[in-house]
Amino acid sequence: MHKIKDYYLNEVDAFNDTIYCMHDLLGESDIPFHQHQKGQFLYTEGGVIHVTTTDKTFFLPARHYMWIPPNQLHSIHPCSEHVTMRNLYFPVEENDVEFYAEIAIYPINDLLLQLILFTNRFQGHLYPDQVSAYRASLALKAILPEISLFQLPLALPYAKDKRLDTVINYINEHLQEILIFPDIAAQFGLSERSLSRLFQSDVGMSFIQYLTIQRMIRAIQYLLVDKLSVKEVATMVGYNSIPTFSNTFYKTLGTRPSAYIKIKGVFGSARVLAEKDILLSETDNYNKNNDNRFVL
């Protein structure tokens, strides 16, 4: 497994004009800091992963995708041994819009799911003269700015000030409790005004914003990885009221937690699995009649 990861980390940029495909069961292996000259489309199923940059940690939940711009230094860390990544690496084009220069997480729709399913038949480099394969993959990239109108605020910057870092560590360890801002400030020998300014100046958000995002990130992990009920999750991330938790979850992810856990991914139903079998059969025929520059 490590050899495979080393291979595609080095192989992605081997050719400037190719689209590189890598569908990989990540398992519990971390992928260390690296970067690519190509832009990366990263979709995940089976769990959640952390994507870290030099100043932030992004939390990518299953059935969402992340766009990572060219030359963005990052590392990848799974939260479950069952995580599967589906990666497409795209060469930079002269007409790329501003969307492709920003790292962000987005929900997917049915159209994007079908395109992901289609590209699952490919592995390795796709060359421009492999017309159907190349254009189909390029179409996935082309529609992203049009369909990705809602960024998920699932990223938290690192605290640079040691005082704030200590406060944040405390928050992370006590998310299930009722956390009251004046009490936390007093506990760490800070005035409310000083701690408020520290949050804004250091991590660029308020205490409530940070706490809410951290709670939603933990909630997603409990729902997807630990398979807990909505009621259990609400309690474990500090909400006494299930409706309040549900409303906050909806404002963050655009869906209710009860609906979120029912969303099907690319391989989330027998129908889609059957479609995959058809595609694999078609690909076998395709490979017999072509130069085999990509393999399953």
Side-chain angles (χ1 to χ4, degrees), residues 201-221:
S201 63
D202 199 330
V203 295
M205 61 182 68
S206 69
F207 165 79
I208 292 298
Q209 288 174 318
Y210 191 98
L211 176 61
T212 299
I213 293 174
Q214 188 62 275
R215 279 177 163 162
M216 292 304 101
I217 287 174
R218 189 73 60 84
I220 293 169
Q221 184 167 338

Side-chain angles (χ1 to χ4, degrees), residues 39-57:
Q40 180 178 358
F41 173 90
L42 169 58
Y43 170 82
T44 182
E45 282 193 3
V48 293
I49 64 174
H50 289 98
V51 178
T52 61
T53 65
T54 54
D55 61 347
K56 288 184 179 180
T57 294

Side-chain angles (χ1 to χ4, degrees), residues 173-271:
E173 294 171 0
H174 296 82
L175 285 179
Q176 76 279 11
E177 301 175 9
I178 303 299
L179 298 174
I180 301 174
F181 184 72
D183 293 346
I184 291 177
Q187 180 174 339
F188 289 93
L190 297 166
S191 68
E192 293 180 46
R193 186 175 182 181
S194 295
L195 184 55
S196 178
R197 285 181 172 178
L198 197 54
F199 265 97
Q200 289 290 354
S201 63
D202 199 330
V203 295
M205 61 182 68
S206 69
F207 165 79
I208 292 298
Q209 288 174 318
Y210 191 98
L211 176 61
T212 299
I213 293 174
Q214 188 62 275
R215 279 177 163 162
M216 292 304 101
I217 287 174
R218 189 73 60 84
I220 293 169
Q221 184 167 338
Y222 286 148
L223 288 169
L224 293 182
V225 178
D226 299 310
K227 309 296 184 182
L228 301 181
S229 69
V230 173
K231 181 179 180 180
E232 290 173 315
V233 172
T235 300
M236 293 184 69
V237 296
Y239 288 87
N240 293 326
S241 165
I242 294 179
T244 300
F245 167 68
S246 180
N247 289 337
T248 305
F249 194 95
Y250 180 81
K251 290 177 182 178
T252 305
L253 278 91
T255 186
R256 301 288 177 184
S258 56
Y260 179 75
I261 58 179
K262 297 177 182 178
I263 297 174
K264 299 297 183 183
V266 173
F267 304 115
S269 69
R271 175 184 62 81

Side-chain angles (χ1 to χ4, degrees), residues 21-85:
C21 302
M22 171 57 69
H23 307 284
D24 189 18
L25 179 64
L26 187 57
E28 295 181 337
S29 301
D30 292 336
I31 298 178
F33 271 102
H34 63 283
Q35 59 188 19
H36 313 286
Q37 296 173 19
K38 296 176 179 177
Q40 180 178 358
F41 173 90
L42 169 58
Y43 170 82
T44 182
E45 282 193 3
V48 293
I49 64 174
H50 289 98
V51 178
T52 61
T53 65
T54 54
D55 61 347
K56 288 184 179 180
T57 294
F58 292 82
F59 186 88
L60 178 61
R63 302 183 294 272
H64 290 77
Y65 88 87
M66 185 173 190
W67 178 260
I68 303 175
N71 301 310
Q72 172 69 62
L73 190 65
H74 63 284
S75 61
I76 298 175
H77 313 273
C79 294
S80 167
E81 62 180 2
H82 304 296
V83 172
T84 298
M85 296 195 307

